[in-house]
Amino acid sequence: MNKRMLVFSAACAAGALVLTACGGAGGSADVTVTLKLVAADYGDKASNSSTVYWKDVAEHFEAANPKIKMDVRVINWNDIDSQVKTMIQSGSMPDVLQTGGYADKVADDLLYKAEEVLSEKTRANLVDTFAEAGEVDGVQYGIPFVSSARALFYNKKIFADAGITEAPRSWDDVRTAAGRIKAKTPGVTPYALPLGPEEAQGESLIWELGNGGGYTDAQGAYTLDSKANVETFQWLKTNLVGPGLTYANPAATDRKTAFADFAAGKAAMLNGHPSLIQMSKDGKVDYGVAPIPGKDGALDSTLGVADWTMAFKAGGHKEEIRKFLDFAYAKENTLKFDEMYNLMPVTEDTLEEMTSSGKHKDLEPFFELLPKASFYPLGDTTWDAVSAEIKKSGGTAVSDDPAKVLGDLQKKAEQAVADQ
C-alpha cells in the first residue's frame, strides 16, 4: 500500500468517528438524515387535525428506521400554497409535500419522478386512473394520496318543513327549493355557496360542468371565460345570490364554513364530499345525498378530486424518501387516513378493504360517481398558478360582472401559458 493510500485510509477512519465513513456502499450508514414533510390539514378542529395522523406515522417510521428522522409540518388549506411557494423561493424546500397540485413544480424541474421514489410494489398498488392523472407528458411525478367525488347534500328535515319531497335535480329545482326554504325556515342558509379562497376552483367547476362548461377545451386550452361559464355565473348571481338564497358574500366564504353550517343544521343544501358524512352524523343532521343538479337535470358525472404527494430533489434524499413513501402508502396507514376523513382511496388494497368490509355503506354513492368524474387539468404545468388566481378572485363573479371577472382570469391563464 503506498503512502497516498495510507493517508486516505487514515482520513477515512477519522472521518467515520465524526459523521460518516469515506466511500464504500455503506458510507451513509452512520448518518442520521432528517426528512422535512409538509402536509395539508384535512381536519376542522385540533382534535382531528392531520398533524395527529402524520406525527403518528412519523413516530412509527422512525422506530423502524432509526437513521431517518421526520420533521412534520401541517398547514391549513388556505395557506399551504403560499407558504410552499415561499419555501421554494427561499431554497428551504420540503423533501416530501402532500397538497393539492404538483404540475407547477414539474415545470420548474423540482421533483423526482414517481418511479425514483416508490418501489415497484407501491407503484403497482396505485389505482391506474389516479396514477395516470399524476403524469406530465407521460411521466408520473404526482403520487395520488386521497380521492374524492362531489355530490349534493341536503337536510331532509329542513326540506320536509318547507314541503319539499325530493332532492333537486336541475338548477330551477335548486332555485325553487331555496326560495321555499327561505320563506319557511328563517335563519337557515338555503344554499351554502362557498366561493372563498379555500376552494373556489372546486365549487366553480361543479357549476360550470352543469352547463356544459369547464376550465379547458378538448385540446387542453383554457376556456375560463367561455360563453357557458359566463352564463353559469350570471345564473348564480341572478337566481341565488341576488335574491339572498346563499351567503351574503360567497367570495369570502370558505368550504370549511359551509360544511360546519350544514353539520350544525344551519344550511339546507350544498355540494359536498364524503368528509361531510361524519360531520353531519356528529351534528345529528338527517341528511340525503343526490347527484349534482345541472342546468337541465341531474348530472351523470361529477367533479373528481385527487390530492397529491410529491418528492423534491433539492435535498438529495432519494433513498430515504423512498423508504418513507413505501411506509406511508402501506394499507394500515392509507386506510386509517381515508377512514379518519371519510375520503376514498387511491391504492388497490385499501379500495378492496373499504368496498368489501361492509363498513362504508355511506360512501357507495361516491364510489358510483367517481368513475365518471371530471378532473382539474392537473397535468398542465400552469394549473397551480391558474387555480391560485381562481381562488383569489373567481368568487367575485357572482357579485360583479361575470364576463369581466372570468375574462380577467382568462388573460392571466393565457399569460401563465405564455410564460412557461
PDB file of all heavy atoms in Angstrom, residues 199-214:
ATOM      1  N   GLU A 199     -61.466  26.996  -1.647  1.00  0.00           N
ATOM      2  CA  GLU A 199     -61.702  26.061  -2.749  1.00  0.00           C
ATOM      3  C   GLU A 199     -62.671  26.617  -3.795  1.00  0.00           C
ATOM      4  O   GLU A 199     -63.550  25.908  -4.289  1.00  0.00           O
ATOM      5  CB  GLU A 199     -62.223  24.720  -2.224  1.00  0.00           C
ATOM      6  CG  GLU A 199     -61.881  23.569  -3.145  1.00  0.00           C
ATOM      7  CD  GLU A 199     -62.652  22.304  -2.850  1.00  0.00           C
ATOM      8  OE1 GLU A 199     -63.778  22.369  -2.350  1.00  0.00           O
ATOM      9  OE2 GLU A 199     -62.107  21.238  -3.131  1.00  0.00           O
ATOM     10  N   ALA A 200     -62.480  27.850  -4.166  1.00  0.00           N
ATOM     11  CA  ALA A 200     -63.342  28.439  -5.193  1.00  0.00           C
ATOM     12  C   ALA A 200     -63.245  27.676  -6.503  1.00  0.00           C
ATOM     13  O   ALA A 200     -64.223  27.581  -7.258  1.00  0.00           O
ATOM     14  CB  ALA A 200     -62.961  29.903  -5.412  1.00  0.00           C
ATOM     15  N   GLN A 201     -62.081  27.120  -6.788  1.00  0.00           N
ATOM     16  CA  GLN A 201     -61.910  26.423  -8.062  1.00  0.00           C
ATOM     17  C   GLN A 201     -62.775  25.173  -8.132  1.00  0.00           C
ATOM     18  O   GLN A 201     -63.215  24.769  -9.207  1.00  0.00           O
ATOM     19  CB  GLN A 201     -60.426  26.095  -8.292  1.00  0.00           C
ATOM     20  CG  GLN A 201     -59.904  24.804  -7.666  1.00  0.00           C
ATOM     21  CD  GLN A 201     -59.767  24.872  -6.147  1.00  0.00           C
ATOM     22  OE1 GLN A 201     -60.029  25.896  -5.542  1.00  0.00           O
ATOM     23  NE2 GLN A 201     -59.341  23.776  -5.543  1.00  0.00           N
ATOM     24  N   GLY A 202     -63.054  24.539  -6.986  1.00  0.00           N
ATOM     25  CA  GLY A 202     -63.881  23.340  -6.982  1.00  0.00           C
ATOM     26  C   GLY A 202     -65.352  23.645  -7.167  1.00  0.00           C
ATOM     27  O   GLY A 202     -66.014  23.090  -8.045  1.00  0.00           O
ATOM     28  N   GLU A 203     -65.897  24.545  -6.342  1.00  0.00           N
ATOM     29  CA  GLU A 203     -67.312  24.902  -6.446  1.00  0.00           C
ATOM     30  C   GLU A 203     -67.614  25.500  -7.812  1.00  0.00           C
ATOM     31  O   GLU A 203     -68.659  25.209  -8.408  1.00  0.00           O
ATOM     32  CB  GLU A 203     -67.682  25.889  -5.333  1.00  0.00           C
ATOM     33  CG  GLU A 203     -69.152  26.244  -5.268  1.00  0.00           C
ATOM     34  CD  GLU A 203     -70.031  25.143  -4.719  1.00  0.00           C
ATOM     35  OE1 GLU A 203     -69.487  24.181  -4.123  1.00  0.00           O
ATOM     36  OE2 GLU A 203     -71.260  25.228  -4.880  1.00  0.00           O
ATOM     37  N   SER A 204     -66.705  26.307  -8.337  1.00  0.00           N
ATOM     38  CA  SER A 204     -66.911  26.910  -9.659  1.00  0.00           C
ATOM     39  C   SER A 204     -67.036  25.842 -10.733  1.00  0.00           C
ATOM     40  O   SER A 204     -67.945  25.892 -11.579  1.00  0.00           O
ATOM     41  CB  SER A 204     -65.747  27.854 -10.002  1.00  0.00           C
ATOM     42  OG  SER A 204     -65.680  28.936  -9.108  1.00  0.00           O
ATOM     43  N   LEU A 205     -66.127  24.877 -10.727  1.00  0.00           N
ATOM     44  CA  LEU A 205     -66.135  23.863 -11.772  1.00  0.00           C
ATOM     45  C   LEU A 205     -67.383  22.986 -11.696  1.00  0.00           C
ATOM     46  O   LEU A 205     -67.936  22.592 -12.726  1.00  0.00           O
ATOM     47  CB  LEU A 205     -64.872  23.006 -11.688  1.00  0.00           C
ATOM     48  CG  LEU A 205     -64.713  21.939 -12.785  1.00  0.00           C
ATOM     49  CD1 LEU A 205     -64.815  22.563 -14.176  1.00  0.00           C
ATOM     50  CD2 LEU A 205     -63.392  21.198 -12.629  1.00  0.00           C
ATOM     51  N   ILE A 206     -67.842  22.680 -10.483  1.00  0.00           N
ATOM     52  CA  ILE A 206     -69.065  21.881 -10.350  1.00  0.00           C
ATOM     53  C   ILE A 206     -70.219  22.554 -11.083  1.00  0.00           C
ATOM     54  O   ILE A 206     -70.959  21.911 -11.845  1.00  0.00           O
ATOM     55  CB  ILE A 206     -69.417  21.694  -8.862  1.00  0.00           C
ATOM     56  CG1 ILE A 206     -68.391  20.802  -8.178  1.00  0.00           C
ATOM     57  CG2 ILE A 206     -70.816  21.083  -8.712  1.00  0.00           C
ATOM     58  CD1 ILE A 206     -68.528  20.749  -6.667  1.00  0.00           C
ATOM     59  N   TRP A 207     -70.396  23.854 -10.863  1.00  0.00           N
ATOM     60  CA  TRP A 207     -71.487  24.578 -11.507  1.00  0.00           C
ATOM     61  C   TRP A 207     -71.262  24.699 -13.006  1.00  0.00           C
ATOM     62  O   TRP A 207     -72.196  24.578 -13.807  1.00  0.00           O
ATOM     63  CB  TRP A 207     -71.655  25.957 -10.868  1.00  0.00           C
ATOM     64  CG  TRP A 207     -72.333  25.878  -9.533  1.00  0.00           C
ATOM     65  CD1 TRP A 207     -71.746  25.809  -8.305  1.00  0.00           C
ATOM     66  CD2 TRP A 207     -73.746  25.832  -9.303  1.00  0.00           C
ATOM     67  NE1 TRP A 207     -72.702  25.726  -7.324  1.00  0.00           N
ATOM     68  CE2 TRP A 207     -73.935  25.739  -7.902  1.00  0.00           C
ATOM     69  CE3 TRP A 207     -74.862  25.864 -10.134  1.00  0.00           C
ATOM     70  CZ2 TRP A 207     -75.197  25.683  -7.320  1.00  0.00           C
ATOM     71  CZ3 TRP A 207     -76.132  25.807  -9.562  1.00  0.00           C
ATOM     72  CH2 TRP A 207     -76.292  25.718  -8.176  1.00  0.00           C
ATOM     73  N   GLU A 208     -70.018  24.932 -13.417  1.00  0.00           N
ATOM     74  CA  GLU A 208     -69.728  25.047 -14.847  1.00  0.00           C
ATOM     75  C   GLU A 208     -70.012  23.740 -15.585  1.00  0.00           C
ATOM     76  O   GLU A 208     -70.541  23.742 -16.706  1.00  0.00           O
ATOM     77  CB  GLU A 208     -68.275  25.476 -15.042  1.00  0.00           C
ATOM     78  CG  GLU A 208     -68.016  26.909 -14.603  1.00  0.00           C
ATOM     79  CD  GLU A 208     -66.550  27.273 -14.576  1.00  0.00           C
ATOM     80  OE1 GLU A 208     -65.696  26.398 -14.835  1.00  0.00           O
ATOM     81  OE2 GLU A 208     -66.247  28.452 -14.276  1.00  0.00           O
ATOM     82  N   LEU A 209     -69.673  22.610 -14.963  1.00  0.00           N
ATOM     83  CA  LEU A 209     -69.959  21.315 -15.583  1.00  0.00           C
ATOM     84  C   LEU A 209     -71.459  21.136 -15.797  1.00  0.00           C
ATOM     85  O   LEU A 209     -71.892  20.500 -16.764  1.00  0.00           O
ATOM     86  CB  LEU A 209     -69.422  20.179 -14.708  1.00  0.00           C
ATOM     87  CG  LEU A 209     -67.903  20.049 -14.611  1.00  0.00           C
ATOM     88  CD1 LEU A 209     -67.531  19.018 -13.547  1.00  0.00           C
ATOM     89  CD2 LEU A 209     -67.306  19.655 -15.967  1.00  0.00           C
ATOM     90  N   GLY A 210     -72.248  21.715 -14.908  1.00  0.00           N
ATOM     91  CA  GLY A 210     -73.697  21.613 -15.022  1.00  0.00           C
ATOM     92  C   GLY A 210     -74.271  22.345 -16.218  1.00  0.00           C
ATOM     93  O   GLY A 210     -75.431  22.128 -16.592  1.00  0.00           O
ATOM     94  N   ASN A 211     -73.458  23.203 -16.849  1.00  0.00           N
ATOM     95  CA  ASN A 211     -73.901  23.951 -18.024  1.00  0.00           C
ATOM     96  C   ASN A 211     -73.078  23.588 -19.253  1.00  0.00           C
ATOM     97  O   ASN A 211     -73.037  24.336 -20.229  1.00  0.00           O
ATOM     98  CB  ASN A 211     -73.803  25.456 -17.754  1.00  0.00           C
ATOM     99  CG  ASN A 211     -74.568  26.300 -18.758  1.00  0.00           C
ATOM    100  OD1 ASN A 211     -75.593  25.870 -19.281  1.00  0.00           O
ATOM    101  ND2 ASN A 211     -74.071  27.504 -19.028  1.00  0.00           N
ATOM    102  N   GLY A 212     -72.382  22.455 -19.177  1.00  0.00           N
ATOM    103  CA  GLY A 212     -71.552  22.032 -20.300  1.00  0.00           C
ATOM    104  C   GLY A 212     -70.264  22.803 -20.440  1.00  0.00           C
ATOM    105  O   GLY A 212     -69.611  22.761 -21.491  1.00  0.00           O
ATOM    106  N   GLY A 213     -69.870  23.518 -19.390  1.00  0.00           N
ATOM    107  CA  GLY A 213     -68.641  24.301 -19.435  1.00  0.00           C
ATOM    108  C   GLY A 213     -67.492  23.584 -18.750  1.00  0.00           C
ATOM    109  O   GLY A 213     -67.497  22.372 -18.578  1.00  0.00           O
ATOM    110  N   GLY A 214     -66.505  24.348 -18.349  1.00  0.00           N
ATOM    111  CA  GLY A 214     -65.328  23.772 -17.710  1.00  0.00           C
ATOM    112  C   GLY A 214     -64.130  24.679 -17.887  1.00  0.00           C
ATOM    113  O   GLY A 214     -64.242  25.779 -18.447  1.00  0.00           O
TER     114      GLY A 214
END
